[in-house]
Amino acid sequence: MEANSAAIPLLTPYQMGNFHLSHRVVLAPLGRLRSYGFVAQPHAILYYSQRATDGGFLISEAGGVSDTAQGYPSTPGIWTKDQVHAWKPIVDAVHAKGAIFFCQIWHGGRASNQDFQPNGQAPISCTNKSITPQLQSNDTDVKQFSTPRRLTKDEIPSVVNDFRLAARNAIEAGFDGVEIHGAHGYLIDQFMKDQVNDRTDEYGGSLENRCRFALEVVEAVVNEVGADRVGFRISPYANYMESGDSNPEALALYMAKSLSNRGILYCHAVEPRMVTFVKKSECPHNLLPMRKAFNGTFIVAGGYDRQEGNRVIAEGYTDLVAYGRVFLANPDLPRRFELDAPLNKYNRETFYIPDPVVGYTDYPFLEATT
């Protein structure tokens, strides 16, 4: 960033643990469904390196932690050596630009169907309640979910171990760290939310019990790669895929304190307003109690623009701001924020198509539009 960027809060430097960031604009983890056969592809080299800047921070799309983790076509995995090998040149390209790169690791849980499961088996979850069919973002396709199989208590440690091994694999692939995906109705979120979790053992019922699985995953990953390489994404207020909670404020505060006690690098929280088309003025910022309870780096996400991002940095509401759709459509987003330049409009219809170029690496840079 140039010297005049110092007056722009989003473009001020920040020390995140051992990582020196030149600005506070983070690439949010975005599923792109272009990892054919659950293996990251060479075209991702260009995609991620386009969005990498010297001292920038990128979070990868979610990488499945096991062969039971997948819930969508062409999402990458991080559980096999071939998948690790495929990620290496992508990570190298990001590092060549001087950026910091974390791998998001996830398990879809019941947000899947038998087509994506080994031997056509039922997806696993904390429950055997299925998700009703969901209209997709293109407003035409309907995603179907199979009835899940409730994990037994004895099976849970094996799933925790899958996250640990995935974290090890991510570091082997060259990533600087991992972000545990505990948001948006996927497996960890399913355990945490009382709309989903109907267990009667020590992994269900009370808030502490429902968060037990999440914190066991955190502890396993921390023990494997170190707390200074671990982040956690959480969406306590969201109700994606019927995963709401009756007391999201309590959940948010409990998890913020628990994550802080475990010393992880950052907490990445999704605003209550993460409903795509809600107007900014109708969206209060409700994450301040989490921010105050968590001692590490705090990242917010949820439809921020340049003005709002600058404001929440300046006010100390957050340390970093993650951008999704606008970063997807503007690979040079920090530069555009620096110049207050117009933004490319994103095309929702090409978010998830399998094309390795269209809607992926063909959004123009600022120089190409002037």
Side-chain angles (χ1 to χ4, degrees):
M1 297 297 112
E2 297 177 1
N4 63 0
S5 68
I8 303 171
L10 279 168
L11 302 183
T12 54
Y14 176 77
Q15 190 71 29
M16 182 178 71
N18 297 323
F19 304 107
H20 180 72
L21 306 183
S22 62
H23 59 82
R24 302 173 186 238
V25 180
V26 179
L27 175 66
L30 300 167
R32 303 312 313 275
L33 306 193
R34 288 166 168 87
S35 297
Y36 317 137
F38 301 137
V39 178
Q41 297 295 308
H43 46 251
I45 295 172
L46 179 58
Y47 171 74
Y48 282 109
S49 64
Q50 282 180 332
R51 289 154 183 81
T53 53
D54 190 15
F57 180 37
L58 284 66
I59 307 169
S60 81
E61 60 204 282
V65 301
S66 71
D67 59 357
T68 67
Q70 309 303 80
Y72 301 89
S74 301
T75 48
I78 192 71
W79 75 86
T80 73
K81 294 304 178 185
D82 285 345
Q83 291 166 339
V84 170
H85 181 75
W87 272 114
K88 286 183 176 181
I90 304 168
V91 177
D92 288 346
V94 170
H95 284 160
K97 298 283 286 288
I100 308 304
F101 200 14
F102 272 42
C103 180
Q104 190 186 69
I105 55 177
W106 80 306
H107 194 299
R110 69 174 188 162
S112 183
N113 64 53
Q114 292 167 272
D115 293 342
F116 301 116
Q117 296 297 313
N119 305 313
Q121 65 193 38
I124 58 174
S125 181
C126 62
T127 181
N128 57 12
K129 297 184 297 185
S130 59
I131 306 171
T132 57
Q134 304 278 306
L135 189 66
Q136 298 301 280
S137 60
N138 58 15
D139 294 331
T140 57
D141 295 334
V142 175
K143 183 173 176 62
Q144 304 287 337
F145 301 95
S146 299
T147 301
R149 179 179 67 81
R150 187 196 310 270
L151 285 164
T152 67
K153 187 176 71 171
D154 292 342
E155 291 176 305
I156 290 175
S158 177
V159 182
V160 171
N161 193 53
D162 288 337
F163 278 90
R164 181 186 67 82
L165 293 175
R168 176 196 290 180
N169 286 342
I171 300 303
E172 183 182 336
F175 284 100
D176 298 292
V178 296
E179 176 178 283
I180 300 166
H181 196 343
H184 294 163
Y186 300 120
L187 183 62
I188 292 175
D189 201 32
Q190 290 160 27
F191 269 88
M192 290 192 294
K193 301 286 186 64
D194 60 11
Q195 182 180 347
V196 183
N197 190 333
D198 56 359
R199 302 177 73 92
T200 57
D201 61 12
E202 53 263 56
Y203 290 92
S206 69
L207 175 60
E208 293 78 7
N209 281 358
R210 286 183 279 113
C211 293
R212 187 184 305 277
F213 174 67
L215 296 174
E216 286 181 352
V217 168
V218 171
E219 289 167 0
V221 171
V222 163
N223 289 337
E224 183 63 39
V225 304
D228 57 343
R229 293 175 178 260
V230 178
F232 189 91
R233 194 175 208 212
I234 185 170
S235 58
Y237 295 90
N239 187 26
Y240 287 103
M241 290 176 287
E242 300 166 357
S243 62
D245 193 81
S246 62
N247 192 346
E249 293 84 5
L251 172 61
L253 195 59
Y254 178 80
M255 282 300 295
K257 291 177 178 177
S258 299
L259 293 171
S260 190
N261 289 340
R262 286 156 178 82
I264 67 170
L265 179 64
Y266 70 80
C267 177
H268 182 182
V270 181
E271 288 281 3
R273 68 167 177 212
M274 190 54 184
V275 178
T276 307
F277 302 109
V278 177
K279 293 180 180 178
K280 296 284 191 300
S281 61
E282 298 172 355
C283 305
H285 301 93
N286 289 345
L287 299 177
L288 192 58
M290 289 189 74
R291 158 63 153 168
K292 291 180 176 179
F294 184 76
N295 293 328
T297 294
F298 198 69
I299 307 174
V300 297
Y304 279 92
D305 59 14
R306 180 182 185 274
Q307 179 180 357
E308 279 286 287
N310 279 324
R311 185 172 73 82
V312 293
I313 294 292
E315 293 178 354
Y317 177 78
T318 189
D319 298 306
L320 309 173
V321 181
Y323 289 87
R325 295 180 297 273
V326 294
F327 215 152
L328 175 159
N330 296 272
D332 53 353
L333 187 64
R335 175 67 172 166
R336 289 177 187 258
F337 280 174
E338 179 184 356
L339 301 174
D340 200 11
L343 300 181
N344 300 322
K345 290 182 170 57
Y346 55 80
N347 181 1
R348 186 175 299 276
E349 293 182 359
T350 62
F351 280 0
Y352 307 117
I353 64 173
D355 194 287
V357 175
V358 176
Y360 191 58
T361 56
D362 61 346
Y363 283 103
F365 284 72
L366 192 59
E367 292 76 10
T369 64
T370 58

